C-alpha cells in the first residue's frame, strides 16, 4: 500500500475507506460483510477509515468499534464528521457546530468507538450561524485535551478555509472531487495548496455513476437517496451515462475497469489528495484497490479529460436544499440563515 503525507505530519494509506454506505443512504447492507470488508481493507494496508456520528445515527461508529477491539489503535487513522442533526425518521434538520455541541458530539463518538481519541475531527458542514473560528477553536481545545489529534473541515469554501486555518492549522479538507465534480479546481484546491492543507476526496465514483455498474434500469429500481439526486434523474442520467460509456472504451484499452480508471485519475491529481473509496463489499473493495496499480501517462490523462470534459456533467451534486448548505458552493461564504 502506498502512503501519502497529510499536513501536520501523519501518513495515511493512499486510498481511504469511506464507511458511510455500510450504515446509511445506499440501502440495506450486510453487517457481517461490512466488517469483513473493513478487515480486508486493513489487511491490505488501508489505514484511513472515514465515518460520521450521524451515519445510521451512531450505527457506523458502533460497527467500527468491533474492528477497533481487534486491532492496535495506533495502526488506524479514524476520521469522524459531526454536526449534522437528524430526527427519529432519519431526516436532516440542520447543523450544529457551536462550541458546546463540538464537545457533546465528541463525547458520544468516543464512547461509541470505544477509544479515547479520534485521529481527525471535522464538522460535516459549516454552520452558517456560528463563526468558523468558534467551531475550530472548540475543536482545538479538544485537541489540547488529547481527545483529537488533527482538525479538518468538510465542504468549506476558500475564504472559510483561510479563516479556520488562521485559528488553528488544518490537516485536511474533505470535499467531493471526481471526474464529474471538479468545482474545487477553481478556488478551493489552490487555497488548500497555498495553505498546505491536504484534500480528502469523497464521491470519487460520483455515488456509483462512475463505477461502470450503474444503468438506467438500476436507477429506476434504486430505493436510496440517489433517487433524489439531480444527476441520477431523467435526461441528466442519460447524459452522464454517455460520459461513462466514453470512459469505458479508454478503460478497455488499458485492461482496467471504469471504476479503476476514475479512481486512478483522482490519485493522479496530486500527492496531497487522498481518495476515499466507498466499497461496501470485499468484491468492490478489491476492484477499487486495483486502481493503485494503474499508472496514467500525460497523454492518457488528456484523453480521459477529453472524454469527460470538466463541465460536461448534467445536474447538481445535490438537490437545491442540500446545495444551499454547502459553504463550498458559495464563493462569498455560506449565506445567512439556517440552510
Amino acid at each position: 500500500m502506498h502512503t501519502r503525507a497529510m499536513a501536520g505530519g501523519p501518513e495515511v494509506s493512499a486510498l481511504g475507506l469511506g464507511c458511510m454506505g455500510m450504515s446509511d443512504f445506499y440501502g440495506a447492507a450486510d453487517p457481517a460483510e461490512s466488517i469483513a470488508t473493513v478487515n480486508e481493507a486493513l489487511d491490505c494496508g488501508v489505514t484511513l477509515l472515514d465515518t460520521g456520528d450521524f451515519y445510521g445515527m451512531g450505527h457506523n461508529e458502533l460497527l467500527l468499534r468491533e474492528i477497533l477491539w481487534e486491532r492496535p489503535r495506533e495502526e488506524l487513522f479514524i476520521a469522524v464528521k459531526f454536526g449534522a442533526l437528524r430526527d427519529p425518521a432519519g431526516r436532516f434538520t440542520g447543523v450544529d457546530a457551536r462550541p458546546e455541541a463540538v464537545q457533546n458530539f465528541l463525547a458520544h463518538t468516543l464512547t461509541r468507538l470505544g477509544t479515547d481519541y479520534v485521529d481527525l475531527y471535522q464538522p460535516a458542514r459549516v454552520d452558517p450561524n456560528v463563526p468558523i473560528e468558534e467551531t475550530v477553536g472548540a475543536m482545538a481545545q479538544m485537541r489540547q485535551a488529547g481527545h483529537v489529534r488533527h482538525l479538518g473541515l468538510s465542504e468549506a469554501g476558500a475564504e472559510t478555509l483561510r479563516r479556520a486555518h488562521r485559528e488553528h492549522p488544518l490537516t485536511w479538507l474533505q470535499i467531493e472531487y471526481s471526474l464529474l465534480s471538479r468545482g474545487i479546481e477553481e478556488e478551493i484546491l489552490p487555497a488548500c495548496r497555498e495553505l498546505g492543507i491536504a484534500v480528502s476526496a469523497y464521491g470519487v465514483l460520483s455515488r456509483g455513476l462512475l463505477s461502470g455498474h450503474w444503468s438506467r434500469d438500476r436507477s429506476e429500481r434504486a430505493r436510496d437517496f440517489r433517487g433524489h439526486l439531480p444527476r441520477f434523474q431523467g435526461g441528466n442520467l442519460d447524459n452522464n451515462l454517455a460520459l461513462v460509456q466514453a470512459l469505458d472504451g479508454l478503460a478497455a484499452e488499458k485492461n482496467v475497469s471504469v471504476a479503476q480508471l476514475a479512481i486512478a485519475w483522482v490519485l493522479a491529481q496530486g500527492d496531497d489528495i487522498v481518495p476515499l473509496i466507498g466499497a461496501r463489499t470485499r468484491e468492490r473493495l478489491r476492484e477499487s484497490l486495483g486502481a493503485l496499480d494503474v499508472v496514467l501517462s500525460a497523454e492518457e490523462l488528456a484523453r480521459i479529460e477529453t472524454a469527460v470534459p470538466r463541465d460536461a456533467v448534467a445536474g447538481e451534486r445535490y438537490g437545491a436544499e442540500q446545495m444551499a448548505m454547502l459553504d463550498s458552493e458559495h464563493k462569498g461564504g455560506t449565506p445567512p440563515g439556517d440552510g
Side-chain angles (χ1 to χ4, degrees):
M1 173 63 67
H2 307 287
T3 61
R4 294 192 165 183
M6 309 296 280
E11 282 201 355
V12 298
S13 50
L15 289 178
L17 181 62
C19 301
M20 180 186 77
M22 298 176 182
S23 299
D24 222 339
F25 302 112
Y26 292 119
D30 178 354
E33 180 63 23
S34 295
I35 290 173
T37 300
V38 176
N39 277 318
E40 182 163 320
L42 298 176
D43 289 340
C44 290
V46 172
T47 59
L48 167 58
L49 301 178
D50 182 84
T51 184
D53 63 12
F54 54 96
Y55 293 166
M57 277 70 83
H59 176 273
N60 208 237
E61 291 177 327
L62 292 171
L63 187 74
L64 293 184
R65 180 190 180 102
E66 297 188 38
I67 284 93
L68 289 175
W69 281 341
E70 306 294 333
R71 300 275 178 168
R73 177 66 182 89
E74 64 275 9
E75 293 181 4
L76 306 180
F77 190 95
I78 309 294
V80 179
K81 288 181 289 299
F82 72 92
L85 303 177
R86 303 180 73 176
D87 66 16
R91 293 182 293 259
F92 286 92
T93 59
V95 176
D96 190 354
R98 295 170 300 142
E100 54 268 43
V102 171
Q103 298 179 41
N104 178 75
F105 286 128
L106 181 58
H108 287 282
T109 280
L110 294 175
T111 300
R112 282 190 292 261
L113 287 174
T115 184
D116 57 1
Y117 72 94
V118 296
D119 295 280
L120 186 137
Y121 207 45
Q122 59 193 330
R125 295 288 184 267
V126 175
D127 187 338
N129 299 310
V130 179
I132 193 63
E133 292 85 355
E134 293 185 13
T135 301
V136 172
M139 292 159 60
Q141 289 179 0
M142 294 296 94
R143 181 178 183 273
Q144 291 164 3
H147 301 308
V148 172
R149 296 286 174 85
H150 303 277
L151 311 187
L153 292 182
S154 179
E155 288 290 353
E159 183 55 33
T160 300
L161 277 174
R162 292 189 177 96
R163 288 171 51 198
H165 197 66
R166 284 195 294 267
E167 181 68 23
H168 187 284
L170 302 177
T171 292
W172 82 28
L173 170 70
Q174 186 170 120
I175 196 163
E176 186 169 356
Y177 188 40
S178 73
L179 274 166
L180 297 184
S181 298
R182 297 180 60 181
I184 72 168
E185 294 175 349
E186 183 178 348
E187 294 183 359
I188 295 175
L189 185 55
C192 285
R193 288 173 171 164
E194 168 196 329
L195 299 170
I197 299 170
V199 169
S200 167
Y202 77 87
V204 293
L205 294 181
S206 198
R207 297 171 182 81
L209 271 177
L210 287 168
S211 68
H213 305 295
W214 201 261
S215 66
R216 171 160 287 283
D217 287 345
R218 183 175 175 183
S219 195
E220 291 171 351
R221 296 194 307 271
R223 294 294 182 269
D224 56 51
F225 94 119
R226 285 172 289 200
H228 304 287
L229 300 179
R231 292 182 177 180
F232 286 81
Q233 298 173 354
N236 289 346
L237 179 63
D238 294 333
N239 175 88
N240 299 334
L241 288 177
L243 297 175
V244 177
Q245 187 63 38
L247 277 182
D248 186 61
L250 299 178
E253 290 181 26
K254 273 189 86 67
N255 196 31
V256 300
S257 71
V258 172
Q260 289 168 338
L261 194 70
I263 296 168
W265 180 87
V266 178
L267 282 165
Q269 301 313 300
D271 289 340
D272 55 350
I273 299 173
V274 177
L276 296 172
I277 54 177
R280 301 198 299 167
T281 66
R282 285 167 286 180
E283 179 183 5
R284 291 290 177 254
L285 172 71
R286 292 162 191 161
E287 179 184 18
S288 295
L289 292 179
L292 291 166
D293 298 321
V294 179
V295 178
L296 298 173
S297 67
E299 179 186 357
E300 289 170 329
L301 287 168
R303 290 181 64 197
I304 290 170
E305 295 184 23
T306 297
V308 184
R310 176 174 173 172
D311 298 318
V313 65
E316 298 282 7
R317 297 194 281 142
Y318 295 99
E321 184 176 351
Q322 291 173 304
M323 288 293 290
M325 297 177 66
L326 297 178
D327 182 80
S328 55
E329 294 290 335
H330 303 285
K331 298 185 185 303
T334 302
D338 61 7

